[in-house]
Amino acid sequence: MANRSAVLRQVIRSVAQADKSAASDRDLLQRFVDQRDQAAFSALVRRHTPMVLGVCQRALSNRQDAEDACQATFLLLVKKAKAERWQASIANWLYATARKVAGNARVAARRRARREGKAAVPEAIQPVDRITGRELLALLDEELDKLPARYREPLVLCCLEGLTRDEAATRLGIPLGTLKIRLERGRKRLGDALTLRGCALGAGLLALAITSPAGASPSRMCEAIMAAATGHPPAAVAALVEGVAMNGVVKKTMLMAVAVAAVVALGMGMGSATNTAANPAPEQPKAEVLKENPPSTKPQAADVPKVIPVSGRVLDPDRKPVAGAKFTVIDDETGTPVPKVTSGADGRFTFQIPYPQTVRNPRQVVASAPGFGVDWISEPREDAVFRLVPDLPITGRVIDLQGKPVAGAIVAVDNVHAGPSGAFDEMVKNWKKSANEQEKAAHKLDRYIWNRGGLGQAFHNKTAADGTFTLSGFGKDRVVTLFVSGCGIADTYAAVATRAGFDPSGAPKTPLRLYPPNFTLVVDLDKPVTGVVRDETTKAPLPGTRVTGASLTQVQFGTYMFHAWPSPTTTTDKEGKFTLRGLAKAKAYVIVADPEEGTEHLHRFGYVLDTTGFAAITTGIDLPRGVILTGRVTDAATGAGAPSRVFYRPLEKNALLDKFGGYDPPDLPAPWHRGRDTKTDFDGRYKITVMPGAGVVNFQAYGAGVNGLGYQKTGATKQEIDDGIVDRQFGHFRTVGQGGMYNPEYMNAYKVISPAATDRTATLDVTLREMEMPKPGGK
């Protein structure tokens, strides 16, 4: 036994440096399976033991029980090494397994305590105001368990295993920008969920829970684990392994990462020390910096984002300065926080926002002040002038089909439309004409705030017990679209014309309905749709997949200008299951399962016929695997990355369309057709999922439109026209899917590809060339 321990210690030391390499968990585990490479398995043990032991220690009050559970977790990894299909990182699996094993150990300890006449470990979570540290972790775990897996694992790696964001991105095989976005979204979701649970505990208690030591030497534990894995484990450990095996597949849940995320959500920097009286926070600079990604304990130069300065003045309708105006940044990707600054007595302000880590749609900045209607700019800048307008509050009442008030419904601002002087008058004049004139009139209001993920969160209200609500601050002579949602009701839009005395009666019955500023909105009960999303071949559940649905009547008659149609969205849980709420009852429903771009599965549509009443419909969608296409877009002259939009569509001539589908669903209007679209990072790198067979990948320099930001545009060749890739008459690509009719002349580059059905990955790099400028005099 002594000789074996000495050998194990030597093996563990020998792989200490190798563990720091970029080898993925999957690679190490594969070496262990194929070659019985004990050094590879030891590297995994050393890499993850502190995290696994910490999970067990916090779930179990007895140290020996925790160490037994930790050993059992790795023994289960040995047993399942061949059977599982592993991801690049196994942190999620180990975390979930440790939770399961520790739970079984906790039950065993409770039974043992009862037999021995001791006080049993309490099961119930106490009210928040009387909660203990251990009970807090159980409460937080419940909320973390609801997060999609893609948001949970970065929290585990960065917060519990202490990896830098660069190291975590490498471990997961994703771009750094993607990791940062997932961390931010995970923190935000957790913060929102905990707030709804009434959990507003002090950051000190949470920090103590996170930083408390596991209470055992990792080296000693590693040796014990390897000894158990290569010999005969202790009886208590073997019993725990058997207990999990008897209970079936281990559930993928987590515990401590939620506490870490909660700390960040409550204002603590991820991985950074907390401020105390002895270590006060530095004085806030005059220009506030909104930190998109809190600093890690090991700051990297690449992690420090550039900032965009925003400054200017806020004026009232008489062009006088407005003091105390507030600002909101509408951002669809990172959830940029609201600047904690207000305009001064002279109406001036200044703050900074992080430079985006990946190219994206413009971020709008909205200025608001009590008694005025908002103004906005489409891009952050230093010379901004916000001219607030007179306001007209919106008041309303939400009732159901029986005329009963709907209490607690959320009424959020979805978008705001305005126009130049006289545009609203012209719109009202033409409103009661034909449907075509209505559509033209709507376009007169050509200035708008689109909801990019932050407008409704910043500006919303709830209906009172009598169903009433009030929203103010959006200005008169505008169209404000409200989005009404709530438990058990169908999601509903209401476009409100903010002009006193506006009367929409007599207008043609079209989807472009307008309400007056004081109105009653009738909402229907919703029709739930539940189901599961699985891999088409293996039938394995696909957690973290976005699922969107719509009632077919809503799709067919959705409005064009002021809003679209309600499209409730959810995400599959760890078992691939989903429940869509908010769908209006209809004859049929369309459901689309849409994995995150750059993952291995393609999207697919499902059609569901209605059933009697409002009981939930059960369905399912199986997703085929596509080809993960990666590459880089560069400037031909400098070799530097060229930030670009990337669009993929299969060609009409693709012989595999019937098998893979998903791009051009029958009987649905164009807005519901799907393609694959993504954006590069600022180094020009991208990842997108494409289907096998013939297709075209288009590249357009970000912000280029048809001008290409100074890059040359392309044009179709005669051969491509003869081959049916480009339409001979109209000049667009002959592809399927929304926006498939891209014209080659609008692109800065495009490539026709044809990956095989057996391919899983492919690479495509392109270069953009600068446009030749005309010589003076046109020569």
Side-chain angles (χ1 to χ4, degrees), residues 431-433 438 503-509:
W431 193 252
K432 296 183 181 180
K433 296 182 180 179
Q438 251 193 21
D503 181 9
S505 63
K509 292 183 178 180

Side-chain angles (χ1 to χ4, degrees), residues 553-705:
T553 52
Q554 294 171 333
V555 171
Q556 292 163 357
F557 300 108
T559 64
Y560 171 74
M561 183 62 184
F562 294 142
H563 57 76
W565 46 86
S567 301
T569 299
T570 188
T571 304
T572 58
D573 64 15
K574 56 185 176 297
E575 297 176 343
K577 296 179 180 179
F578 67 88
T579 299
L580 272 176
R581 299 304 303 260
L583 288 170
K585 190 170 173 61
K587 292 183 178 180
Y589 310 87
V590 57
I591 311 295
V592 58
D594 201 3
E596 186 173 345
E597 196 56 76
T599 55
E600 60 183 344
H601 288 90
L602 295 166
H603 65 270
R604 177 161 283 176
F605 288 86
Y607 297 87
V608 183
L609 295 178
D610 194 23
T611 57
T612 303
F614 288 89
I617 301 173
T618 300
T619 186
I621 300 178
D622 292 345
L623 300 186
R625 293 191 179 188
V627 180
I628 299 176
L629 181 69
T630 58
R632 188 169 182 237
V633 186
T634 55
D635 184 296
T638 66
S644 304
R645 295 181 175 94
V646 184
F647 313 98
Y648 166 79
R649 302 292 185 272
L651 289 164
E652 292 176 352
K653 59 186 291 184
N654 188 323
L656 300 176
L657 277 173
D658 289 341
K659 179 178 179 181
F660 288 88
Y663 290 89
D664 199 4
D667 305 323
L668 287 181
W672 264 84
H673 297 183
R674 281 291 196 277
R676 308 304 303 187
D677 300 336
T678 190
K679 291 167 280 190
T680 71
D681 61 18
F682 277 90
D683 195 36
R685 301 186 187 279
Y686 71 92
K687 181 187 287 187
I688 193 170
T689 311
V690 304
M691 67 170 284
V696 61
V697 187
N698 296 282
F699 300 89
Q700 190 179 73
Y702 191 70

Side-chain angles (χ1 to χ4, degrees), residues 56 59-60 69 97-110 240 244:
C56 299
L60 296 161
T97 305
R99 285 280 299 153
K100 180 69 174 178
V101 173
N104 287 357
R106 186 178 176 87
V107 171
R110 189 179 300 118
L240 288 173
V244 172

Side-chain angles (χ1 to χ4, degrees), residues 173-480:
I174 61 176
L176 177 61
T178 301
L179 178 84
K180 291 178 180 178
I181 290 172
R182 291 181 183 179
L183 281 171
E184 182 66 28
R185 289 181 175 177
R187 290 195 298 266
K188 186 177 186 305
R189 288 189 181 205
L190 279 167
D192 292 345
L194 291 170
T195 300
L196 290 174
R197 294 291 298 272
C199 184
L201 299 178
L205 175 61
L206 295 175
L208 178 63
I210 295 166
T211 58
S212 59
S217 165
S219 296
R220 182 176 66 79
M221 274 306 306
C222 289
E223 293 174 13
I225 291 166
M226 292 300 297
T230 57
H232 297 288
V237 175
L240 288 173
V241 173
E242 184 66 22
V244 172
M246 291 289 289
N247 288 327
V249 179
V250 176
K251 295 182 179 180
K252 298 179 180 178
T253 58
M254 301 191 184
L255 173 63
M256 265 307 297
V258 68
V260 180
V263 172
V264 179
L266 293 172
M268 296 179 58
M270 180 180 291
S272 61
T274 57
N275 293 314
T276 66
N279 181 28
E283 198 171 307
Q284 183 76 355
K286 291 183 179 179
E288 182 193 2
V289 179
L290 307 179
K291 294 182 179 179
E292 183 173 4
N293 295 288
S296 67
T297 52
K298 300 178 182 179
Q300 305 286 328
D303 285 350
V304 181
K306 295 181 290 183
V307 294
I308 302 174
V310 186
S311 61
R313 300 184 70 193
V314 182
L315 305 177
D316 68 11
D318 297 323
R319 298 183 179 271
K320 296 179 181 179
V322 175
K326 297 180 180 180
F327 305 90
T328 303
V329 180
I330 309 302
D331 188 332
D332 61 342
E333 295 192 17
T334 62
T336 299
V338 175
K340 296 178 181 178
V341 300
T342 57
S343 58
D346 59 355
R348 296 191 178 278
F349 66 91
T350 179
F351 60 89
Q352 295 174 329
I353 62 176
Y355 205 78
Q357 299 300 308
T358 58
V359 294
R360 63 166 63 117
N361 294 321
R363 291 187 285 182
Q364 297 171 312
V365 181
V366 180
S368 60
F372 297 105
V374 298
D375 191 21
W376 61 92
I377 55 175
S378 59
E379 284 279 8
R381 61 176 185 265
E382 293 184 83
D383 59 346
V385 178
F386 293 95
R387 294 183 174 87
L388 305 185
V389 299
D391 192 26
L392 180 67
I394 299 172
T395 60
R397 185 167 183 254
V398 180
I399 62 174
D400 61 22
L401 293 177
Q402 287 72 44
K404 297 180 180 180
V406 177
I410 298 175
V411 183
V413 176
D414 191 70
N415 56 60
V416 180
H417 284 258
S421 178
F424 191 86
D425 294 299
E426 188 172 351
M427 186 202 71
V428 172
K429 181 178 64 176
N430 294 323
W431 193 252
K432 296 183 181 180
K433 296 182 180 179
S434 67
N436 288 337
E437 290 299 320
Q438 251 193 21
E439 192 78 19
K440 293 178 183 178
H443 281 277
K444 299 296 181 182
L445 303 184
D446 57 358
R447 182 169 177 262
Y448 44 82
I449 317 175
W450 284 121
N451 186 359
R452 298 189 187 279
L455 191 61
Q457 287 80 359
F459 302 105
H460 64 270
N461 204 344
K462 281 189 176 183
T463 57
D466 61 353
T468 59
F469 68 90
T470 300
L471 285 168
S472 59
F474 299 98
K476 60 182 297 187
D477 288 355
R478 290 175 171 176
V479 173
V480 180

